[in-house]
Amino acid sequence: MNNNEYLKILSKLNILYIEDEEKIKENVKATLKLFCENIFDASTIQEAKELINQNRIDIIISDINLPDTTGIEFIKEFRKIDKTIPIIILSAYTDKDYLLEATKLKLADYLTKPIDFKSLQNALLKCVDEILEYSRYIISFGKNIEFNVLHKKLFCKEKDCELSLTNKELALLEYLIKNSNRVLSINELKNYIWEDEIEATESAFKNLLNKLRAKIGKESILNISGIGYRLAY
């Protein structure tokens, strides 16, 4: 796979960038947007945790010095939950103690500020390589059904064929994936999928939900009684 293909994959990923210095954050964020469509930014670890809980994050980029804790401590804690998501640390230091701590955290890269364009690009391409290695862009459901997040395709391994998705089925599935860490109310789902409130009826939603469940498995979309729905995979 060549660099252009890696860059195409990168453009579809979600990056979380944690930096408390506003000017630096805006400059780096502007550079990141040259590579990727979706950039989430946070100034504190608490903000970062909220974004992680509410969105699908594919790559984390964090400054080492933050107001509520260090980037190293945050990653140590995060690695207890997720051992494979690619993480890049940014630091003004080249201190050996920092480097030693960083090597224990399975980082994709450790970049020293100020960051140049080429170094950032190379680090991001390493992240894509790790994502491909761990197949993080493939979501597996029951009954040998897989969804390729990057290519937006549903595939049945048992029958070795692609399963077609309507635009609304794809929108519902992607929204459930993006918000897989929380329960989504029916109203939120309807408002996201239908622009016209008149079309967003209970029966239209239930019909759409049942059609998607028939393709990925009923047990893959949990009904939390009285609250809403959440994806399970």
Side-chain angles (χ1 to χ4, degrees), residues 11-230:
S11 70
K12 301 299 181 185
L13 299 178
N14 293 343
I15 295 177
L16 170 60
Y17 173 42
I18 313 167
E19 168 63 66
D20 66 316
E21 293 188 39
E22 200 61 33
K23 189 173 181 180
I24 294 174
K25 183 166 68 176
E26 289 307 311
N27 287 340
V28 175
K29 188 177 174 183
T31 305
L32 288 170
K33 280 187 171 291
L34 298 175
F35 298 106
C36 185
E37 296 172 8
N38 301 315
I39 309 296
F40 299 92
D41 65 273
S43 299
T44 66
I45 295 303
Q46 185 56 42
E47 287 179 15
K49 287 178 178 178
E50 289 172 6
L51 287 168
I52 290 168
N53 288 335
Q54 294 170 7
N55 303 277
R56 178 179 61 83
I57 301 297
D58 301 299
I59 298 170
I60 295 175
I61 302 175
S62 177
D63 185 45
I64 209 163
N65 286 315
L66 296 164
D68 42 355
T69 187
T70 68
I72 293 288
E73 291 303 314
F74 163 64
I75 295 166
K76 279 182 182 177
E77 182 183 345
F78 184 76
R79 278 292 184 231
K80 295 174 184 177
I81 303 166
D82 191 315
K83 298 186 185 303
T84 62
I85 187 170
I87 299 175
I88 300 169
I89 277 283
L90 309 180
S91 175
Y93 305 100
T94 54
D95 189 288
K96 288 183 180 179
D97 289 337
Y98 277 114
L99 292 170
L100 184 60
E101 282 292 307
T103 57
K104 300 174 184 176
L105 300 173
K106 299 180 181 177
L107 299 179
D109 216 330
Y110 182 109
L111 301 181
T112 306
K113 295 177 178 179
I115 307 153
D116 65 86
F117 182 88
K118 193 65 180 176
S119 295
L120 182 58
Q121 182 185 54
N122 289 339
L124 290 170
L125 293 180
K126 285 182 189 176
C127 291
V128 174
D129 204 36
E130 288 190 14
I131 288 169
L132 293 172
E133 181 181 351
Y134 287 105
S135 296
R136 291 184 65 95
Y137 67 105
I138 300 291
I139 293 175
S140 298
F141 299 107
K143 300 178 181 178
N144 289 312
I145 303 297
E146 291 183 342
F147 180 67
N148 186 309
V149 175
L150 302 177
H151 297 140
K152 303 178 185 292
K153 290 184 178 180
L154 193 65
F155 195 77
C156 176
K157 292 197 296 180
E158 187 178 355
K159 296 181 180 179
D160 193 27
C161 67
E162 183 183 339
L163 303 175
S164 62
L165 290 168
T166 66
N167 289 337
K168 283 187 170 56
E169 287 169 356
L170 178 60
L172 176 56
L173 179 56
E174 288 191 308
Y175 198 69
L176 286 167
I177 291 170
K178 182 180 179 181
N179 299 280
S180 59
N181 290 332
R182 64 189 181 96
V183 178
L184 302 169
S185 70
I186 293 175
N187 283 339
E188 180 179 351
L189 290 166
K190 287 195 301 183
N191 290 338
Y192 178 77
I193 294 163
W194 283 278
E195 293 181 4
D196 189 339
E197 290 184 11
I198 297 173
E199 293 181 5
T201 62
E202 290 286 324
S203 60
F205 172 74
K206 288 291 177 64
N207 185 46
L208 176 64
L209 181 69
N210 290 335
K211 286 182 177 178
L212 181 59
R213 276 176 158 172
K215 293 177 181 179
I216 69 172
K218 185 178 180 180
E219 67 285 348
S220 296
I221 302 177
L222 300 178
N223 181 4
I224 312 301
S225 182
I227 304 176
Y229 295 89
R230 181 174 66 81

